[in-house]
Amino acid sequence: MTSLSILDLSPVPAGGSAAQSLRDSIDLARHADALGYRRYWLAEHHNLPNIASSAPDIMIGQIAAATRNMHIGSGGVMLPNHAPLTVLERFKVLEALFPGRIDLGLGRAPGTDHVTSIALRRRQDIRDEDDFLDRLQELLLLSNDGYPKDHPFSNVHAMPNDVPLPPIFLLGSSDYSAQLAAQIGAGFSFAHHFAGHDAVHAMRLYRDRFKPSQHLQAPLAILATAAVVAETAGEAERLASTIDLNFVRRAKGVYAPLESPEVALAYDYSPMDRERIAKNRERLAVGDPDMVKARLTELAQATQADEIMITTMIFDHEARKRSYSLLADAFSLASPRAMPQPQPAAAG
């Protein structure tokens, strides 16, 4: 059976606060942990009023401490924004505190607009060209002591140096990341919830070209997609209207907090807006539990996904929790037995 996981962007609703959205993420993670979800990943976005998730490494620590069973990870750390050594050390610290439960998902994009991306990298080497491959190579070489002895970085070790790096996943929305993940023997997560590229082709390309590595012997493919579930199809459509309005606004360069279904349904959409909504709905699974299960099962089979990772960007926190509950019931997820939480070492 395909495992289910969650991608959380900590959505900020109109009239709400980003601080509360972060606390809601911890609440949702506890809920998902009890339902039997396999992974819970946090995104990295910057300077967006509708997304509070800007520091996934901090949130990973908070959520791992509040849960017992799920793998907690980044979906992802946007590598262009960070020095590779910093990423290694932060995730090794997380792995030391929560052994066997941390995932390191890496993305190519900055997760923001151009000006904000420059502000994020102001004290780093800012280049016009894409330097993701250089940063990834540096991260991999530092992680496995791969630099030759005559290289200045040969004596640089990510601390704590007695802790392994968590599993690496590359995030992507095209063939490029799929092939790269396959080449280096990493896990791969395809962003079906916003990608214009064919998910089936990218996911199968990854699987066909995968080369085993010391970290991963067989391909591990995750399909990230959007879903909204309610007791009835009509209620699910009402909840999903928030997504429709948010998509229309984003297409016009407006990144406002998420509006309620009442505001979204009353919005005066143009014919072009409605065309955009219809196109975006092709990527969404919206309906009652049976409808959404059928849609996600079809996607999993077509893409040969090992896991389906769900993101649900709707207005009401309790409705979001209910959506994940209904989905867990539809897929008959088993509530796991709690793993023992690591205890801090005694002082002295």
Side-chain angles (χ1 to χ4, degrees):
M1 184 185 75
T2 303
S3 299
L4 293 185
S5 298
I6 292 175
L7 172 63
D8 184 11
L9 280 65
S10 302
V12 182
S17 72
Q20 184 58 50
S21 293
L22 294 173
R23 290 190 286 268
D24 285 345
S25 287
I26 297 174
D27 179 59
L28 177 60
R30 289 194 185 102
H31 182 66
D33 198 44
L35 291 173
Y37 282 86
R38 179 165 177 76
R39 301 180 199 275
Y40 196 100
W41 283 7
L42 291 306
E44 178 187 342
H45 291 280
H46 302 277
N47 198 27
L48 295 176
N50 58 350
I51 294 176
S53 183
S54 60
D57 53 334
I58 294 176
M59 288 299 293
I60 288 168
Q62 293 295 312
I63 287 177
T67 57
R68 294 293 183 271
N69 305 289
M70 296 184 297
H71 285 240
I72 315 299
S74 54
V77 166
M78 299 297 115
L79 195 53
N81 302 336
H82 308 280
L85 181 59
T86 299
V87 174
L88 286 174
E89 293 197 323
R90 289 176 179 176
F91 276 80
K92 282 194 164 205
V93 167
L94 288 167
E95 178 67 21
L97 295 173
F98 308 101
R101 292 187 57 212
I102 305 300
D103 296 328
L104 172 53
L106 298 171
R108 291 176 59 208
T112 188
D113 60 273
H114 180 66
V115 173
T116 305
S117 69
I118 292 176
L120 285 164
R121 297 179 60 175
R122 192 68 184 90
R123 301 303 177 192
Q124 298 186 61
D125 180 20
I126 300 174
R127 307 181 191 177
D128 291 332
E129 70 272 15
D130 183 355
D131 65 350
F132 174 79
L133 276 179
D134 292 340
R135 287 171 181 254
L136 178 61
Q137 182 182 43
E138 184 175 320
L139 184 147
L140 294 174
L141 288 171
L142 285 170
S143 71
N144 59 20
D145 296 324
Y147 280 105
K149 292 184 179 180
D150 59 349
H151 193 281
F153 287 176
S154 62
N155 290 318
V156 176
H157 306 287
M159 301 299 290
N161 64 353
D162 57 348
V163 174
L165 187 67
I168 293 177
F169 294 79
L170 294 192
L171 282 58
S173 56
S174 68
D175 286 356
Y176 178 86
S177 294
Q179 295 183 75
L180 182 57
Q183 181 179 343
I184 67 173
F188 177 59
S189 178
F190 185 82
H192 179 259
H193 55 297
F194 67 79
H197 193 84
D198 179 27
V200 173
H201 183 258
M203 295 280 278
R204 291 192 174 183
L205 187 66
Y206 163 71
R207 191 172 295 279
D208 291 343
R209 299 192 180 183
F210 181 83
K211 297 179 180 179
S213 68
Q214 64 184 40
H215 304 293
L216 193 63
Q217 292 301 304
L220 178 50
I222 300 175
L223 183 73
T225 192
V228 179
V229 190
E231 280 82 356
T232 67
E235 175 60 11
E237 287 289 336
R238 190 185 76 86
L239 296 173
S241 64
T242 292
I243 299 174
D244 297 337
L245 179 54
N246 184 57
F247 185 77
V248 165
R249 284 178 166 175
R250 285 185 59 185
K252 299 174 181 178
V254 177
Y255 294 86
L258 300 183
E259 294 288 0
S260 68
E262 290 73 25
V263 171
L265 289 169
Y267 188 84
D268 185 18
Y269 294 103
S270 69
M272 176 61 73
D273 292 337
R274 296 194 181 279
E275 286 182 18
R276 286 172 171 158
I277 290 170
K279 185 67 176 175
N280 188 54
R281 280 298 192 102
E282 295 175 3
R283 292 188 288 246
L284 299 180
V286 178
D288 64 33
D290 290 339
M291 293 168 62
V292 174
K293 179 183 179 181
R295 175 72 185 278
L296 295 181
T297 300
E298 181 183 359
L299 270 174
Q301 291 173 347
T303 59
Q304 299 179 6
D306 297 298
E307 296 180 26
I308 298 290
M309 182 169 281
I310 308 299
T311 183
T312 304
M313 289 280 287
I314 56 178
F315 177 80
D316 183 71
H317 176 60
E318 291 302 321
R320 193 158 66 119
K321 289 173 65 177
R322 183 60 178 157
S323 180
Y324 284 117
S325 293
L326 292 169
L327 196 59
D329 289 344
F331 278 86
S332 301
L333 298 188
S335 298
R337 295 178 61 185
M339 295 172 58
Q341 188 74 348
Q343 298 298 311

